[in-house]
Amino acid sequence: MKNTFFLILVLTLSINTYGQHERVTNNWKTISIKDSKLGEINYHVFRNKIDERKPLLIYLQGSTNFPLFWPHPRGGYSNSITLNWNSISDDYHIILISKPHTPLVDSLEITPSGRKQYPVQDGYSEKYSLDWRANSGNLVINHALEELSVDSSQIVIWGHSEGSQVAPAVALKNKKVTHVIAMMGNSLNHLYDFILMERLSALNGEKSNDEAQANIDSLYIEFEKIYKDPKSTTKEWFGETYYKWSSFTLNAPIENMLKLDIPILYVAGGNDRHSILNMDYAKLEFLRKGKDNLTYKVFPNCDHFFMETKIDKSGKKKWIDHLDEVNEFTLDWIIKKL
């Protein structure tokens, strides 16, 4: 009897969860590509006006192995997509690409400390890398051009955070790309960010110079391990495999950006501790090389997700969302660069 009750409970929860997930899956058409090297690639096209002829916009999300959407505890769904796809989809085919062996939508686990996490799926670690993301992006563009009615005068790669590093690599592989948008992503070796954070913490008085130096010395030891075994998918540092770290850092994003002659929009947040110190270098390097295809735009008070924090008269924090402003600026830039 207990076993029967448990089975009914599990089935009921599964049906309810699936029914909830349909709120997301009904809005996106999922298309699968089978590739002998990359395995299965799943990309998702927003259904709004999907049969109309429109330009193509491929969005590349940032890091973590999370699905693209996950249920919010207070209802609805959360995501880390810095793109107003509902409004933009009137004028563009919007495409999202799932990471390897990762669904479009699924529930996250909440740890006792309140941290969100998602179980690493079988096959994810063996594939997840800059190479997989760049090559899958290339294949998705070619496949979408056959599946959808596309105005090929605009094929836009739009990456945020880690996706910002991927976008130029996709454009190098696929010559049909007309615009690259890279937001809140480093231009130099990503591992250098960890060293910068230590230096910045010491300069801000958050720790001593001795402590920061000791941490940096420890970082160099870890980085040496990564580069000595760059293909390892079993050894990890900072929650990611050596293979992931090496693939994203053997070449710096600025190297790929400089190889492109198509328009590039590089967007930073002046209050983004993750990236801003690293990003400023890109504009200098384009100037040094005499290249004029980079537009560098800094939103001075924005953090990594385009939020501005202010303190009101009572001393309480107030958050101002600049995402609409960023999206509007970006879309205007695309049109100006046609």
Side-chain angles (χ1 to χ4, degrees), residues 121-139:
Q121 306 299 299
D122 290 343
Y124 174 87
S125 297
E126 289 73 20
K127 288 188 171 62
Y128 190 65
S129 61
L130 175 64
D131 296 330
W132 190 94
R133 294 198 70 181
N135 286 316
S136 64
N138 175 44
L139 290 180

CSV table of all heavy atoms in Angstrom, one decimal, residues 121-139:
chain,number,residue,atom,x,y,z
A,121,GLN,N,25.1,16.4,-15.8
A,121,GLN,CA,24.6,15.3,-16.6
A,121,GLN,C,25.7,14.5,-17.3
A,121,GLN,O,26.7,15.0,-17.6
A,121,GLN,CB,23.6,15.8,-17.7
A,121,GLN,CG,22.5,16.7,-17.1
A,121,GLN,CD,21.6,16.0,-16.1
A,121,GLN,OE1,20.9,15.0,-16.4
A,121,GLN,NE2,21.6,16.5,-14.9
A,122,ASP,N,25.4,13.2,-17.5
A,122,ASP,CA,26.4,12.3,-18.1
A,122,ASP,C,26.7,12.9,-19.5
A,122,ASP,O,25.8,13.2,-20.3
A,122,ASP,CB,25.8,10.9,-18.3
A,122,ASP,CG,25.7,10.2,-16.9
A,122,ASP,OD1,26.3,10.6,-16.0
A,122,ASP,OD2,25.0,9.1,-16.9
A,123,GLY,N,28.0,13.0,-19.8
A,123,GLY,CA,28.5,13.4,-21.1
A,123,GLY,C,28.8,14.9,-21.1
A,123,GLY,O,29.4,15.4,-22.1
A,124,TYR,N,28.3,15.7,-20.1
A,124,TYR,CA,28.5,17.1,-20.1
A,124,TYR,C,30.0,17.5,-20.0
A,124,TYR,O,30.5,18.2,-20.8
A,124,TYR,CB,27.7,17.8,-19.0
A,124,TYR,CG,28.0,19.2,-18.8
A,124,TYR,CD1,27.2,20.2,-19.5
A,124,TYR,CD2,28.9,19.7,-17.9
A,124,TYR,CE1,27.4,21.5,-19.3
A,124,TYR,CE2,29.2,21.1,-17.7
A,124,TYR,CZ,28.4,22.0,-18.4
A,124,TYR,OH,28.6,23.3,-18.3
A,125,SER,N,30.6,16.9,-19.0
A,125,SER,CA,32.0,17.3,-18.8
A,125,SER,C,33.0,16.9,-19.9
A,125,SER,O,33.9,17.6,-20.2
A,125,SER,CB,32.5,16.6,-17.5
A,125,SER,OG,31.8,17.1,-16.4
A,126,GLU,N,32.6,15.9,-20.6
A,126,GLU,CA,33.5,15.4,-21.7
A,126,GLU,C,33.4,16.3,-22.9
A,126,GLU,O,34.3,16.4,-23.7
A,126,GLU,CB,33.1,14.0,-22.1
A,126,GLU,CG,33.5,12.9,-21.1
A,126,GLU,CD,32.6,12.9,-19.9
A,126,GLU,OE1,31.5,13.4,-20.0
A,126,GLU,OE2,33.1,12.3,-18.9
A,127,LYS,N,32.3,17.1,-23.0
A,127,LYS,CA,32.1,17.9,-24.2
A,127,LYS,C,32.3,19.4,-23.9
A,127,LYS,O,32.7,20.2,-24.8
A,127,LYS,CB,30.7,17.6,-24.8
A,127,LYS,CG,30.6,16.3,-25.5
A,127,LYS,CD,29.3,16.2,-26.2
A,127,LYS,CE,29.2,15.0,-27.1
A,127,LYS,NZ,29.3,13.7,-26.4
A,128,TYR,N,31.9,19.8,-22.7
A,128,TYR,CA,31.8,21.3,-22.5
A,128,TYR,C,33.1,22.0,-22.6
A,128,TYR,O,34.1,21.7,-21.8
A,128,TYR,CB,31.2,21.6,-21.1
A,128,TYR,CG,30.8,23.0,-21.0
A,128,TYR,CD1,29.9,23.6,-21.8
A,128,TYR,CD2,31.5,23.9,-20.1
A,128,TYR,CE1,29.6,24.9,-21.8
A,128,TYR,CE2,31.2,25.2,-20.1
A,128,TYR,CZ,30.2,25.7,-20.9
A,128,TYR,OH,29.9,27.1,-20.8
A,129,SER,N,33.2,22.9,-23.6
A,129,SER,CA,34.5,23.6,-23.9
A,129,SER,C,34.1,24.7,-24.8
A,129,SER,O,33.0,24.8,-25.4
A,129,SER,CB,35.5,22.6,-24.5
A,129,SER,OG,34.9,22.2,-25.8
A,130,LEU,N,35.1,25.6,-25.0
A,130,LEU,CA,35.0,26.7,-26.0
A,130,LEU,C,34.8,26.0,-27.4
A,130,LEU,O,34.0,26.5,-28.2
A,130,LEU,CB,36.2,27.6,-26.0
A,130,LEU,CG,36.2,28.7,-27.1
A,130,LEU,CD1,35.0,29.6,-27.0
A,130,LEU,CD2,37.5,29.4,-27.1
A,131,ASP,N,35.5,25.0,-27.7
A,131,ASP,CA,35.5,24.3,-29.0
A,131,ASP,C,34.0,23.8,-29.2
A,131,ASP,O,33.5,24.0,-30.3
A,131,ASP,CB,36.4,23.1,-29.0
A,131,ASP,CG,37.9,23.6,-28.9
A,131,ASP,OD1,38.2,24.7,-29.3
A,131,ASP,OD2,38.7,22.8,-28.4
A,132,TRP,N,33.4,23.2,-28.2
A,132,TRP,CA,32.1,22.6,-28.4
A,132,TRP,C,31.1,23.8,-28.7
A,132,TRP,O,30.3,23.7,-29.6
A,132,TRP,CB,31.6,21.8,-27.2
A,132,TRP,CG,30.3,21.1,-27.5
A,132,TRP,CD1,30.2,19.8,-27.9
A,132,TRP,CD2,29.0,21.6,-27.4
A,132,TRP,NE1,28.9,19.4,-28.1
A,132,TRP,CE2,28.1,20.5,-27.7
A,132,TRP,CE3,28.4,22.8,-27.0
A,132,TRP,CZ2,26.7,20.6,-27.7
A,132,TRP,CZ3,27.1,22.9,-27.0
A,132,TRP,CH2,26.2,21.9,-27.4
A,133,ARG,N,31.2,24.8,-27.9
A,133,ARG,CA,30.3,25.9,-28.0
A,133,ARG,C,30.4,26.6,-29.4
A,133,ARG,O,29.4,27.0,-30.0
A,133,ARG,CB,30.4,26.9,-26.9
A,133,ARG,CG,30.0,26.3,-25.5
A,133,ARG,CD,29.7,27.4,-24.5
A,133,ARG,NE,28.5,28.1,-24.8
A,133,ARG,CZ,28.1,29.1,-24.0
A,133,ARG,NH1,28.7,29.6,-23.0
A,133,ARG,NH2,26.9,29.7,-24.4
A,134,ALA,N,31.7,26.9,-29.8
A,134,ALA,CA,31.9,27.6,-31.0
A,134,ALA,C,31.5,26.7,-32.2
A,134,ALA,O,30.8,27.2,-33.2
A,134,ALA,CB,33.4,28.0,-31.1
A,135,ASN,N,31.8,25.5,-32.2
A,135,ASN,CA,31.5,24.6,-33.3
A,135,ASN,C,30.0,24.3,-33.4
A,135,ASN,O,29.4,24.3,-34.5
A,135,ASN,CB,32.2,23.3,-33.2
A,135,ASN,CG,33.7,23.4,-33.6
A,135,ASN,OD1,34.1,24.0,-34.6
A,135,ASN,ND2,34.6,22.8,-32.8
A,136,SER,N,29.3,24.2,-32.3
A,136,SER,CA,27.9,24.0,-32.3
A,136,SER,C,27.2,25.3,-32.8
A,136,SER,O,26.2,25.2,-33.5
A,136,SER,CB,27.4,23.6,-30.9
A,136,SER,OG,27.6,24.7,-29.9
A,137,GLY,N,27.7,26.4,-32.4
A,137,GLY,CA,27.1,27.7,-32.9
A,137,GLY,C,27.2,27.8,-34.4
A,137,GLY,O,26.3,28.2,-35.1
A,138,ASN,N,28.4,27.4,-34.9
A,138,ASN,CA,28.5,27.4,-36.4
A,138,ASN,C,27.5,26.5,-37.1
A,138,ASN,O,26.9,26.8,-38.1
A,138,ASN,CB,30.0,26.9,-36.7
A,138,ASN,CG,30.2,26.7,-38.2
A,138,ASN,OD1,29.8,27.6,-39.0
A,138,ASN,ND2,30.9,25.7,-38.5
A,139,LEU,N,27.4,25.2,-36.5
A,139,LEU,CA,26.4,24.3,-37.1
A,139,LEU,C,25.0,24.8,-37.0
A,139,LEU,O,24.2,24.6,-37.9
A,139,LEU,CB,26.6,22.9,-36.5
A,139,LEU,CG,27.8,22.2,-36.7
A,139,LEU,CD1,27.8,20.8,-36.0
A,139,LEU,CD2,28.0,21.9,-38.2
